[in-house]
Amino acid sequence: MTLTTDMFKNEGAIEFENVASVIGSGYENDVAVLAIEDKIAYRAARKNMQIHSAIILKVMGVVSGFFTYQINHDAREFCLLQSTIRPEVFDFDLYKAMVQKIIENNTYGYPMFITTNPKSKFETPKLFESIGFTTYLEMSGYAYMVYGDMGDARLKYLAHITMCNVWNSISGKWLKVKREWNEKIEAAGAKHNIPNPKFASRDGCWQGTNGYSNVVLGSHEINEDGEVVHKVGKSFNGNASVLDPVACEVILRFFMPTDGSFVYNPFGGGVQMGFVTGDYGYKYISSEIRQNQCDANNAICQDLKGSAKWIKSDSSEYVPDERPDLVFTCPPYYKVEEYLDYDGNPPEGELNSFPTYQEFRDTLFKGYKKAIDALKDDSFFVVMTGDSRDKNGAYYCCESEHELFFRDNGLHVYNKIVYLECEFTRLAHAKKTLNYRKFPKREQKIIVAYKGDMSKIKDRFPTVGRL
Ligand SMILES: C[S@@+](CC[C@H](N)C(=O)[O-])C[C@H]1O[C@@H](n2cnc3c(N)ncnc32)[C@H](O)[C@@H]1O
């Protein structure tokens, strides 16, 4: 029987059948044939895709379309997968009706996800927007859409902007999130009269000769007396390293256990991890040796959903009052920055005031030991660190010593992530330093160590669901 579009206008011509799985439904071959003929939905011909549920469309009793979908109770999500309708009976309303059938089956209130294929003429963002889906990410022509709260798609968004062990902090999608966080931090700083909240109390602390933080724009001009004068312009980040709030959010979302609630940050420094953790409603305690940094950060974070507190203390001695579910730190990099308190001096015990790298390292690791002992079992200890060079130009190998320290203290070095930074100034420096065969550093390391039974990780941390 030749099917035509107007056929389905006849009452009863259209039938939608919901099957819990294509396999065992009797429609295995019909779906596979339609999938192969459609080309875009070809994966629905595979067994591993036919394990999923589907809406089967029949026109005049002839299988004329399908829409496979996955109900994932672990991730508490509905994922719309492959779909097609015979061209000869295709109609947008018919297609939308098939999507509506899937939505009706979502009696769990789960968020629903679809990734629209740019090659499909009907699986389009426009069509799904008309049904109530919203695009949370666009990548290489694909639109990643959610039917539900955008927050439900956040972990997937963060997964897509990281995915591997190189986190590209200058990608457009990364910078978009960074801007959002920095706007929030700036607003909180302005509200509570904290100037430069992103690097409060650390303006100009950069001691390095290369790197992003010592970029100060300047220009030469001729003044009315005909003399050439040098005008100092904008200084990037106030000559201080600034923790990336996006890296903080990724670390918090991926390494906080599902039932976790408390983050401890020894060698606290910048406001970013506390702000992000408190904004998510969790508890955050940081041990920071400088009163001015504590005061600034506590002021900035006083209105957050959760509590974020900086406690003036020496992290090599401090023990948090509760066992943390996650330890995060971005400690000083030896002699890269100078940390001064209200009196203009580094407090006693401030790591970068130690005359030798060995004293710096041993005190740092003493603080880590306290944090490891406090950390709950089956939990992560995440460090963002970077190496620095001694006065002769050789690296101290602090990054490697971190890995060995964790291994030798019974933790598992579980991820070694490269945090890729802007090459902006490094190119300028390379023109000088390459003569000394020094390749300027444009990355930092994020070492993810795990305390406990690694087989528990899958069930102890939120599932990302389908990506
Ligand atoms: C700002 S963060 C480091 C930022 C970034 N990692 C960098 O070096 O580019 C380091 C913080 O550790 C604090 N600090 C240094 N020694 C400390 C100690 N013994 N106990 C607690 N905090 C300490 C400093 O005051 C500083 O605010």
Side-chain angles (χ1 to χ4, degrees):
M1 169 173 51
T2 320
L3 294 176
T4 61
T5 45
D6 55 6
M7 263 187 183
F8 64 74
K9 297 217 167 46
N10 308 353
E11 201 41 45
I14 299 296
E15 232 184 301
F16 291 112
E17 183 180 341
N18 181 52
V19 296
S21 120
V22 176
I23 290 178
S25 68
Y27 297 117
E28 295 85 339
N29 192 58
D30 295 306
V31 166
V33 170
L34 285 171
I36 293 163
E37 285 171 354
D38 177 87
K39 297 192 180 52
I40 294 171
Y42 69 92
R43 283 186 294 158
R46 294 188 195 144
K47 288 244 170 314
N48 68 347
M49 294 306 278
Q50 292 206 347
I51 58 172
H52 298 306
S53 312
I55 298 293
I56 304 297
L57 163 66
K58 285 185 272 186
V59 175
M60 310 291 282
V62 177
V63 175
S64 303
F66 67 80
F67 208 136
T68 58
Y69 64 95
Q70 174 198 20
I71 307 176
N72 182 335
H73 291 301
D74 291 347
R76 302 173 61 76
E77 66 181 21
F78 252 65
C79 289
L80 282 65
L81 305 171
Q82 287 82 38
S83 60
T84 188
I85 294 181
R86 286 179 191 285
E88 59 270 27
V89 294
F90 178 82
D91 175 89
F92 276 104
D93 291 340
L94 193 54
Y95 186 83
K96 284 169 95 168
M98 220 168 29
V99 178
Q100 288 300 353
K101 286 294 170 200
I102 299 177
I103 293 174
E104 284 161 23
N105 281 300
N106 181 9
T107 53
Y108 314 92
Y110 292 165
M112 307 177 77
F113 296 95
I114 176 113
T115 303
T116 63
N117 187 317
K119 297 198 199 79
S120 171
K121 70 175 188 326
F122 45 77
E123 191 187 274
T124 63
K126 194 159 161 297
L127 182 134
F128 282 93
E129 272 150 24
S130 70
I131 299 171
F133 284 74
T134 319
T135 299
Y136 67 86
L137 175 71
E138 281 172 298
M139 237 167 18
S140 15
Y142 288 81
Y144 295 74
M145 307 182 78
V146 58
Y147 184 94
D149 185 66
M150 282 296 260
D152 296 321
R154 188 67 168 188
L155 190 57
K156 292 181 191 300
Y157 184 99
L158 297 173
H160 280 297
I161 64 173
T162 47
M163 281 311 223
C164 304
N165 82 326
V166 176
W167 294 359
N168 178 2
S169 74
I170 48 175
S171 75
K173 294 175 183 62
W174 184 288
L175 291 172
K176 173 177 167 294
V177 178
K178 192 173 182 180
R179 267 193 304 280
E180 291 163 7
W181 279 117
N182 283 340
E183 276 153 20
K184 280 186 169 183
I185 292 172
E186 293 285 358
K191 181 176 177 195
H192 300 292
N193 307 319
I194 304 295
N196 310 315
K198 291 186 300 182
F199 51 87
S201 84
R202 287 186 298 121
D203 202 337
C205 69
W206 184 272
Q207 304 300 305
T209 54
N210 66 16
Y212 197 40
S213 291
N214 71 331
V215 173
V216 179
L217 296 185
S219 59
H220 289 82
E221 291 165 9
I222 303 161
N223 66 14
E224 62 277 355
D225 310 331
E227 291 151 354
V228 175
V229 292
H230 178 242
K231 289 207 31 159
V232 177
K234 176 176 174 342
S235 72
F236 280 79
N237 290 347
N239 261 353
S241 68
V242 174
L243 190 52
D244 186 328
V246 186
C248 295
E249 186 182 8
V250 174
I251 289 163
L252 181 69
R253 292 301 304 269
F254 278 88
F255 302 118
M256 172 67 99
T258 308
D259 60 3
S261 63
F262 175 37
V263 176
Y264 170 53
N265 185 162
F267 310 100
V271 73
Q272 286 75 12
M273 190 61 178
F275 190 94
V276 171
T277 306
D279 189 74
Y280 264 95
Y282 294 120
K283 175 181 176 182
Y284 169 94
I285 292 281
S286 176
S287 158
E288 162 58 52
I289 203 161
R290 292 177 302 118
Q291 190 64 58
N292 55 359
Q293 183 81 78
C294 294
D295 295 347
N297 293 355
N298 287 332
I300 296 164
C301 294
Q302 61 188 283
D303 307 330
L304 297 174
K305 265 200 300 292
S307 83
K309 293 270 176 300
W310 280 257
I311 297 171
K312 176 178 173 22
S313 54
D314 182 339
S315 303
S316 64
E317 303 299 338
Y318 182 84
V319 177
D321 57 4
E322 218 185 296
R323 301 195 65 189
D325 301 289
L326 168 64
V327 171
F328 167 79
T329 184
C330 180
Y333 306 166
Y334 190 50
K335 293 297 182 193
V336 168
E337 294 188 322
E338 189 179 47
Y339 301 119
L340 311 176
D341 210 333
Y342 287 123
D343 61 4
N345 301 312
E348 197 193 332
E350 195 286 312
L351 289 182
N352 266 352
S353 64
F354 287 133
T356 66
Y357 169 73
Q358 288 64 27
E359 289 166 284
F360 162 90
R361 178 204 53 214
D362 297 350
T363 310
L364 178 67
F365 288 176
K366 186 174 170 220
Y368 287 179
K369 196 76 192 67
K370 291 247 187 303
I372 289 171
D373 296 345
L375 179 64
K376 284 181 183 163
D377 292 343
D378 310 322
S379 299
F380 285 104
F381 190 130
V382 181
V383 179
M384 184 162 191
T385 186
D387 221 326
S388 52
R389 295 174 185 268
D390 63 22
K391 61 182 180 334
N392 306 315
Y395 279 114
Y396 291 107
C397 301
C398 187
E399 294 167 5
S400 321
E401 291 198 309
H402 269 75
E403 293 177 30
L404 299 175
F405 166 82
F406 284 124
R407 186 196 65 190
D408 301 344
N409 283 273
L411 273 66
H412 310 290
V413 176
Y414 201 68
N415 287 300
K416 299 204 277 185
I417 292 161
V418 175
Y419 170 82
L420 197 60
E421 297 175 294
C422 170
E423 62 185 356
F424 184 35
T425 58
R426 277 75 173 192
L427 302 180
H429 288 104
K431 295 189 178 109
K432 263 193 306 193
T433 61
L434 287 184
N435 293 313
Y436 307 87
R437 297 299 177 270
K438 281 184 196 164
F439 285 81
K441 201 172 191 304
R442 64 167 292 200
E443 44 75 28
Q444 297 176 54
K445 296 293 186 309
I446 298 175
I447 300 165
V448 180
Y450 182 77
K451 176 184 179 182
D453 175 353
M454 286 181 281
S455 68
K456 292 188 179 163
I457 291 176
K458 175 139 182 348
D459 300 332
R460 191 163 148 67
F461 293 84
T463 174
V464 179
R466 184 176 283 273
L467 288 174

